[in-house]
Each structure stands twice: as structure tokens, then as C-alpha cells.
Amino acid sequence: MHEPITTSFSVAAASDPVLAPAESLTKPLPASPPASAFVAVILANIALGFGPWFVRLADTGPVAAGFWRITLAIPVLIAFALASGARPARLAPALWLVVIGGGVFFAADLASWHLGILRTTLGNATLFGNSATLIFPIYGFLVARAWPTRIQALALLLAATGGGLLLGRSYQVDPRHLAGDLLCLLAGILYAVYFIAMSRARDVMAPLPALALSTIASALPLLVFAALLGERIVPQDWTPLIALALVSQIVGQGLMIYALGRLPPLVIGIALLVQPMVGGALGWIEYNERLGLVDLVGAGLVAAALVLVRRGRVAPAPPREQERAR
């Protein structure tokens, strides 16, 4: 399924859709999530799960690595957006605030997460860094003013149990890891705010323009953060940073922004737990952070939760073509 790209970066509407509750969270549709969007969110989280490894391999400071992740991706994302037919247009002031705000929160998320990655295990970093697993679905239910269905509640319970098992197994009572865990937890909260902002932007914008603009808004704050911390900014080896930009920002965030326009927060939130599974596997392979039976059971529960939200009749977001057509 290919989503047509609008010919401008914004679409005018009779009322301000950014200030109103996001339709993707409040309009119920009796259908299962689109297969293409579900595949996209899984692939997105697999790609994003490699991010902490690339950050560790980079010879710059961790926040500077985030700056290069963003900066190297900007020309590619702009080229893709323009090649798809998108053209700059005047955005409503509220939409500018949402997109730029989302970019700033994403910059703060990356800065906090990258600092934490170097201070804890890969498993902890990806698990705490994706605490939006629970925050974003709860936000969705609050905006929709609805309780989860039995299948949704069961999926959340399985995901929370699986995530708890992964956390309990990977967490080590070690003062050296406490600061890193807290930084990654803060990053997860900031990531949820970024998701909320981008879900609003996706109500009236195509995925590539939305990602391109939010990515541009993220670059300067990350550079400022890195400079204030006195980090080394210019690398000697560009390979990890290029891989970080391509895999995490272009592929990972690109697929994630596409999925945000088509899947409900519950599916997005549970799918985030794919990242700790990838991070845990990389930690085992590269740093001998071994996985045990408990890890496998936790991963199995997360997989079961994903199957439930895929097979269950969870209300997806309305097609963006209808919004853009108006």
C-alpha cells in the first residue's frame, strides 16, 4: 500500500485540526490495522533497536552522535519529500508549533537517551528509553475517552508483563547503571511527547514532510547541547554515524512516522518493545550481556501482545488521504 504524498507541506482546514483532539485517536473504525502499517512499525523498531550500538561505536560524544544522526539525514529526507511531490507551503501557526515542538522534544529525547546509553546496558537503555510503551497508549485512551476493550487490555497486560520480565532480567543493582537508567527513562517520557506531537501533525501532513520538518527542528538543539557539554563533535570515523543516520533516522523514524498516521497508540506502544529485544540480542552478541530463559519468556509475551493487537479489531487511524482531500 503506497500513500500518495500531498503537493504541499500543509493542508488548510476549516478548523484547526492541531488544536482539536487528533482524529487518529478519537475516530473509531471497525477494522484491523492495515498490514502495511503493521509491518512498517515492526521494521521501524527493528531498525531503531540498532541505534544504541551505533552510538557506542561512534568516536564523538553521545549527544554529538545524535546531532550527526539528524544532520546527515536532513538532505536525504528533504530530497525524498521533494521527489515525492511535496512542496513548501505556509503552515498554520499552531501546526508550526506542533512540528517544531516535536522536533525539540525529539532532540531532548536523543540527548538524554544517548547520554544514558553509555552509562547502562543496551537492554536497559532500549527498555527504559521506550517507556512510551505505556505512556502513549494511555494518552490515546484518555483522548478517545474510552476504556480499552478486553483484547486491548489483555495485550497491554501481556506487554507490561513481558517488559517487566525483560527489565527484571537485564537490570543490575549497580550504582554505575542508575544514572544511565534514569536518563533513559527521561528519554522515554520525552519520546512519548514527540509521538503525541507527530500524531497531531500527521492528521494534516504526509509522513515525509512531517519527518523532514521535525528533523530539521531537532538539529540545532542537539548541536547546542553537545557544545554545552564540551563533547567532541567532529568524528574521525564517519561509518557509525552514517549508519546511525541511515538506519535509525531515515529508515527507523521514517517508517515510524508512516505508521503513526495509520495505527492507534496501543499498537505503536506495544510495538516499541521490539526495540529492547533487538538491543538485548545485540548486547549479548557484542558485549556478552547474556540472555536467559526469563528474557525469552518476556519476548514471547511481547510477541503474543503484538499478535493480539494485529488480529483484534483495534480502531486504526483514519486514512490521511481523506484529510488531505478536504
Side-chain angles (χ1 to χ4, degrees):
M1 181 182 297
H2 298 282
E3 184 177 20
I5 303 299
T6 178
T7 56
S8 73
F9 275 19
S10 65
V11 176
S15 60
D16 193 340
V18 178
L19 300 181
E23 288 192 18
S24 60
L25 304 177
T26 58
K27 180 187 278 187
L29 294 177
S32 297
S36 62
F38 189 79
V39 171
V41 77
I42 297 300
L43 293 178
N45 282 286
I46 292 174
L48 291 168
F50 281 83
W53 182 43
F54 294 138
V55 172
R56 284 193 179 182
L57 293 177
D59 59 4
T60 63
V63 179
F67 165 73
W68 287 115
R69 162 181 168 167
I70 294 298
T71 302
L72 294 174
I74 286 175
V76 179
L77 292 174
I78 291 177
F80 282 170
L82 294 177
S84 301
R87 293 293 181 269
R90 183 178 179 181
L91 300 179
L95 187 56
W96 270 117
L97 288 175
V98 168
V99 174
I100 293 176
V104 172
F105 273 106
F106 186 60
D109 158 54
L110 283 184
S112 180
W113 192 38
H114 285 193
L115 287 169
I117 285 169
L118 301 187
R119 292 167 171 81
T120 188
T121 64
L122 286 186
N124 280 10
T126 50
L127 188 60
F128 280 114
N130 286 285
S131 55
T133 292
L134 295 178
I135 299 173
F136 193 54
I138 291 173
Y139 162 79
F141 289 124
L142 288 176
V143 171
R145 298 179 181 178
W147 291 99
T149 65
R150 291 182 180 180
I151 292 180
Q152 292 171 337
L154 178 58
L156 271 175
L157 177 62
L158 289 175
T161 303
L165 290 176
L166 290 170
L167 173 62
R169 179 68 174 83
S170 66
Y171 183 76
Q172 300 178 28
V173 182
D174 189 330
R176 294 175 300 176
H177 294 161
L178 179 59
D181 292 340
L182 292 177
L183 284 167
C184 291
L185 181 59
L186 173 61
I189 296 171
L190 294 169
Y191 200 30
V193 178
Y194 165 73
F195 274 173
I196 292 170
M198 295 310 293
S199 69
R200 295 295 183 90
R202 282 287 284 118
D203 279 337
V204 290
M205 297 180 70
L208 282 173
L211 179 60
L213 291 178
S214 66
T215 299
I216 292 171
S218 301
L220 182 58
L222 282 167
L223 180 59
V224 172
F225 293 159
L228 290 176
L229 291 171
E231 292 187 354
R232 176 180 178 178
I233 296 177
V234 180
Q236 290 184 336
D237 182 7
W238 287 92
T239 304
L241 297 175
I242 292 174
L244 182 64
L246 290 176
V247 176
S248 293
Q249 190 63 21
I250 295 175
V251 176
Q253 284 300 323
L255 291 174
M256 183 68 76
I257 295 301
Y258 170 79
L260 271 174
R262 293 178 171 272
L263 294 174
L266 177 64
V267 180
I268 298 290
I270 291 177
L272 289 175
L273 285 173
V274 172
Q275 289 187 49
M277 294 159 62
V278 174
L282 286 172
W284 188 358
I285 295 170
E286 295 294 328
Y287 303 103
N288 200 31
E289 298 171 358
R290 295 186 175 275
L291 302 177
L293 178 61
V294 175
D295 298 288
L296 299 178
V297 173
L301 291 176
V302 172
L306 289 170
V307 171
L308 278 179
V309 295
R310 177 70 188 99
R311 293 174 61 88
R313 299 179 69 81
V314 181
R320 284 327 185 247
E321 292 85 350
Q322 297 176 8
E323 276 296 314
R324 287 193 293 276
R326 291 202 292 269

